[in-house]
């Protein structure tokens, strides 16, 4: 089985959960002996793990014909692509993309991020997909989230191969219902054109069916998982006087950071032996700093900024409690990562991971009194902490990406077989 996957980010260069999920899922799927994955991202950085898949940088795919000799292409493409492949892909240019600015090789450059001209980059990525769809050998197309769904749709039209859309989040989640009509239109067209839609939770599946008017028969749930830690013994909690309660994620309205601050203020009315950490960045960060000052708890609050990779595990391992008070969270991998290093987690009922986690405390995102009570119980009662520490770690160690990969493969087989008959 050969899958052509379109993604937007891949570790170690990630800006959110999309890259983490893409890595975990593809690594889990690659354990199937006959599974071969070509993963396209806008801009690889050269240090991605390609031991279990092949990564193609959209910024290395020619979309405008340029006459360049072999040695020049080899020099310019060193470490990215062979001259033979460059010429092979160049033969797949069937559309006039001269309106798009390209370099001397006919390739378009991408930021590898989420720039102000994101819609332009999505359109350029779609152009790249047309070339790849013409020249690569694959059985199925798999697009991750709305950013890559136009590319997936175009690739389907060109190749005639089936398309699976993987919904990691919708604009209803990101905007608290204040949906961007342009984004919604892109999301809906991708879903309408897809042969099947995979959602990271039942919560997201319901949104896709109800808000995007999709046939329930073509929408499935494939819950996320967590990547096993190679050396879990590396992550130890250092002895200290104060307990640490952590929020780690994008500081945006979707994640409910204000509820974390308000719950912290409630806890600190009862006890002073607790410190709170809001790790991450986002458009509500300054507002949260102001709210912390307004509540008079600035001496107990820390804003360390955006973290990635090993920094995340170290922060989670040093914490006594992890909390994710998301208003609308399609899944939420971070509580699984916290429980993996033995840190008890509090999550909102409005998160997809609440569907599969038993040994995490669940509250409504708006119920700051319940959140505060849960934090207080974990930091003040050792038996509560130990129970969640032990049982939570055991639980998440059995939530494997390999199993998620088997579900995706079953969907692939079903979609391909339906196409045949």
């Amino acid at each position: 089985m050969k899958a052509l996957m379109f993604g937007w980010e891949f570790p170690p260069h990630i800006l959110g959960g999309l890259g983490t999920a893409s890595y975990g899922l593809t690594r889990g799927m690659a354990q199937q002996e006959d599974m071969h994955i070509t993963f396209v991202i806008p801009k690889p950085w050269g240090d991605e793990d390609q031991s279990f898949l092949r990564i193609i940088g959209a910024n290395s795919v020619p979309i405008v014909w340029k006459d360049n000799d072999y040695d020049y292409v080899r020099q310019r493409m060193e470490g990215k692509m062979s001259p033979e492949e460059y010429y092979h892909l160049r033969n797949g240019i069937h559309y006039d993309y001269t309106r798009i600015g390209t370099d001397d090789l006919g390739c378009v450059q991408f930021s590898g991020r989420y720039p102000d001209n994101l819609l332009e980059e999505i359109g350029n990525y779609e152009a790249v997909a047309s070339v790849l769809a013409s020249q690569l050998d694959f059985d199925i197309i798999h697009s991750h989230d709305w950013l890559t769904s136009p590319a997936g749709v175009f690739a389907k039209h060109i190749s005639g191969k089936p398309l699976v859309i993987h919904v990691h989040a919708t604009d209803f989640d990101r905007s608290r219902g204040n949906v961007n009509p342009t984004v919604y239109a892109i999301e809906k067209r991708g879903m309408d054109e897809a042969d099947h839609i995979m959602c990271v939770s039942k919560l997201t599946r319901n949104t896709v069916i109800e808000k995007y008017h999709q046939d329930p028969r073509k929408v499935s749930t494939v819950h996320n998982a967590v990547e096993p830690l190679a050396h879990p013994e590396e992550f130890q909690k250092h002895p200290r006087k104060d307990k640490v309660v952590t929020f780690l994620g994008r500081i945006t309205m979707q994640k409910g950071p204000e509820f974390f601050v308000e719950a912290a203020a409630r806890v600190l009315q009862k006890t002073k032996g607790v410190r709170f950490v809001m790790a991450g960045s986002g458009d509500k960060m300054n507002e949260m700093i102001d709210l912390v000052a307004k509540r008079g708890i600035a001496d107990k609050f820390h804003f360390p900024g955006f973290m990635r990779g090993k920094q995340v595990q170290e922060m989670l391992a040093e914490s006594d409690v992890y909390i994710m008070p998301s208003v609308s969270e399609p899944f939420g991998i971070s509580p699984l990562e916290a429980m993996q290093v033995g840190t008890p987690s509090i999550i909102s009922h409005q998160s997809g991971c609440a569907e599969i986690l038993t040994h995490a405390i669940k509250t409504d995102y708006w119920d700051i009194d319940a959140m505060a009570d849960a934090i207080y119980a974990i930091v003040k009662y050792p038996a509560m902490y130990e129970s969640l520490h032990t049982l939570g770690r055991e639980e998440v160690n059995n939530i494997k990406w390999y199993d998620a990969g088997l579900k995706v493969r079953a969907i692939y087989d079903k979609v391909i077989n339906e196409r045949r008959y």
Side-chain angles (χ1 to χ4, degrees):
M1 176 73 73
K2 297 177 182 177
L4 174 60
M5 280 197 191
F6 293 108
W8 203 260
E9 48 179 84
F10 198 82
H13 303 277
I14 61 173
L15 297 169
L18 179 59
T20 301
S22 296
Y23 177 85
L25 179 63
T26 51
R27 191 174 178 86
M29 292 177 68
Q31 295 177 49
Q32 303 167 33
E33 287 186 6
D34 66 337
M35 192 74 236
H36 303 281
I37 301 168
T38 298
F39 198 91
V40 186
I41 51 176
K43 180 182 178 179
W45 299 87
D47 53 356
E48 293 83 4
D49 181 3
Q50 296 196 52
S51 62
F52 57 92
L53 48 56
R54 182 189 177 210
I55 290 178
I56 292 180
N59 61 343
S60 297
V61 176
I63 63 169
V64 173
W65 187 284
K66 300 280 185 175
D67 285 318
N68 290 297
D69 65 39
Y70 186 93
D71 288 338
Y72 184 74
V73 172
R74 182 180 59 186
Q75 177 188 353
R76 289 278 282 106
M77 285 291 190
E78 186 176 5
K80 299 176 184 177
M81 182 180 290
S82 70
E84 289 79 8
E85 183 171 20
Y86 168 83
Y87 291 125
H88 175 67
L89 291 176
R90 192 181 66 174
N91 289 335
I93 300 172
H94 301 302
Y95 297 90
D96 181 5
Y97 292 124
T98 53
R99 70 184 186 282
I100 299 174
T102 58
D103 62 16
D104 55 331
L105 293 175
C107 303
V108 62
Q109 297 307 301
F110 292 88
S111 66
R113 300 184 179 278
Y114 299 89
D116 291 339
N117 66 330
L118 181 59
L119 291 176
E120 179 184 344
E121 290 212 346
I122 290 170
N124 294 345
Y125 187 84
E126 184 181 4
V128 169
S130 73
V131 175
L132 296 174
S134 296
Q135 299 300 94
L136 298 185
D137 178 27
F138 53 93
D139 302 302
I140 195 162
I141 305 157
H142 186 151
S143 285
H144 290 276
D145 245 10
W146 73 280
L147 301 145
T148 71
S149 66
V153 170
F154 203 4
K156 174 183 175 177
H157 288 176
I158 290 170
S159 67
K161 299 297 173 64
L163 168 66
V164 171
I165 294 285
H166 203 141
V167 181
H168 296 263
T170 71
D171 207 48
F172 283 89
D173 302 301
R174 293 182 290 267
S175 67
R176 284 197 194 176
N178 187 23
V179 177
N180 181 317
T182 302
V183 175
Y184 177 85
I186 294 173
E187 290 177 322
K188 189 171 189 311
R189 179 170 179 255
M191 295 177 196
D192 290 344
E193 294 268 6
D195 293 88
H196 202 86
I197 304 165
M198 294 185 295
C199 302
V200 295
S201 63
K202 295 175 184 175
L203 183 74
T204 305
R205 181 176 183 270
N206 290 338
T207 299
V208 165
I209 292 168
E210 294 170 9
K211 303 294 187 181
Y212 294 84
H213 315 295
Q214 298 300 309
D215 184 343
R217 292 172 297 180
K218 82 168 196 177
V219 189
S220 299
T221 298
V222 179
H223 289 107
N224 285 336
V226 66
E227 186 71 11
L229 290 176
H231 302 287
E233 69 281 355
E234 290 182 4
F235 303 102
Q236 301 292 331
K237 205 179 307 295
H238 293 91
R240 55 185 141 63
K241 181 180 177 181
D242 287 346
K243 302 295 183 181
V244 174
V245 180
T246 298
F247 168 111
L248 192 151
R250 287 180 292 112
I251 306 176
T252 62
M253 63 180 177
Q254 178 191 352
K255 302 294 183 179
E258 66 270 32
F259 302 107
F260 175 68
V261 174
E262 297 292 2
R266 295 280 205 285
V267 172
L268 291 170
Q269 288 173 0
K270 296 182 180 181
T271 178
K272 302 301 180 188
V274 186
R275 292 188 175 275
F276 293 85
V277 176
M278 183 171 282
S281 59
D283 58 9
K284 288 180 76 70
M285 185 169 181
N286 289 337
E287 184 181 332
M288 292 305 102
I289 292 171
D290 291 342
L291 182 59
V292 165
K294 186 177 179 180
R295 293 289 176 264
I297 56 175
D299 61 328
K300 295 290 187 177
F301 229 95
H302 307 270
F303 292 88
F306 182 78
M307 294 183 172
R308 71 177 76 218
K310 195 173 181 180
Q311 288 179 317
V312 172
Q313 275 96 20
E314 289 172 345
M315 183 71 248
L316 294 174
E318 286 289 351
S319 303
D320 297 277
V321 183
Y322 175 74
I323 182 164
M324 187 181 75
S326 296
V327 175
S328 181
E329 186 71 51
F331 187 79
I333 292 176
S334 53
L336 279 68
E337 294 175 327
M339 294 162 71
Q340 197 175 37
V341 293
T343 300
S345 292
I346 302 168
I347 59 179
S348 69
H349 284 299
Q350 293 74 26
S351 60
C353 64
E355 297 168 10
I356 63 169
L357 292 176
T358 302
H359 299 292
I361 295 179
K362 303 167 191 177
T363 72
D364 290 309
Y365 71 86
W366 44 261
D367 196 343
I368 56 177
D369 289 318
M371 275 186 222
D373 289 344
I375 294 169
Y376 186 84
I378 295 170
V379 300
K380 288 299 180 181
Y381 300 110
M384 170 76 87
Y385 173 87
E386 285 300 327
S387 175
L388 293 170
H389 166 85
T390 302
L391 296 176
R393 176 178 275 171
E394 290 176 359
E395 181 175 34
V396 297
N397 284 339
N398 288 308
I399 302 174
K400 303 180 186 298
W401 279 116
Y402 175 73
D403 296 326
L406 290 177
K407 293 178 182 178
V408 172
R409 176 58 183 273
I411 290 169
Y412 283 2
D413 291 338
K414 179 176 181 290
V415 168
I416 291 173
N417 288 333
E418 286 174 349
R419 276 291 198 92
R420 286 176 182 157
Y421 299 107

